[in-house]
Amino acid sequence: MPTIFRFITEDDTSQFCHRVSEALSKGWQLHGSPSMAFDTARGVMRCGQGVTKEVAAEYHPDMKLGQQ
């Protein structure tokens, strides 16, 4: 089965945790450590987390990864 990757990003709020938790509940798995960086233009911390998932379909650039 092919494996697909996506990187979830969000401001450092509970919304980021909810997005990652939703992905995990849909079968995605954590990939690597979370990251944080300060967005100087907006004055906020940003979070990111890579996730992977095995899918039945072959990868295609038009895939809607968040809907897999």
Side-chain angles (χ1 to χ4, degrees):
M1 285 189 148
T3 300
I4 55 176
F5 172 86
R6 64 188 270 226
F7 192 69
I8 301 170
T9 61
E10 185 72 47
D11 290 350
D12 184 16
T13 66
S14 63
Q15 182 61 27
F16 172 73
C17 296
H18 287 290
R19 290 185 64 204
V20 174
S21 295
E22 179 183 28
L24 295 174
S25 75
K26 292 181 177 181
W28 291 83
Q29 297 183 348
L30 297 176
H31 181 81
S33 299
S35 62
M36 294 182 75
F38 188 72
D39 180 343
T40 56
R42 295 180 48 233
V44 297
M45 289 297 292
R46 298 277 297 167
C47 297
Q49 175 65 58
V51 291
T52 60
K53 183 177 185 181
E54 288 187 1
V55 294
E58 290 295 319
Y59 169 77
H60 189 274
D62 293 334
M63 284 179 121
K64 303 286 188 208
L65 298 178
Q67 296 174 359
Q68 294 297 314

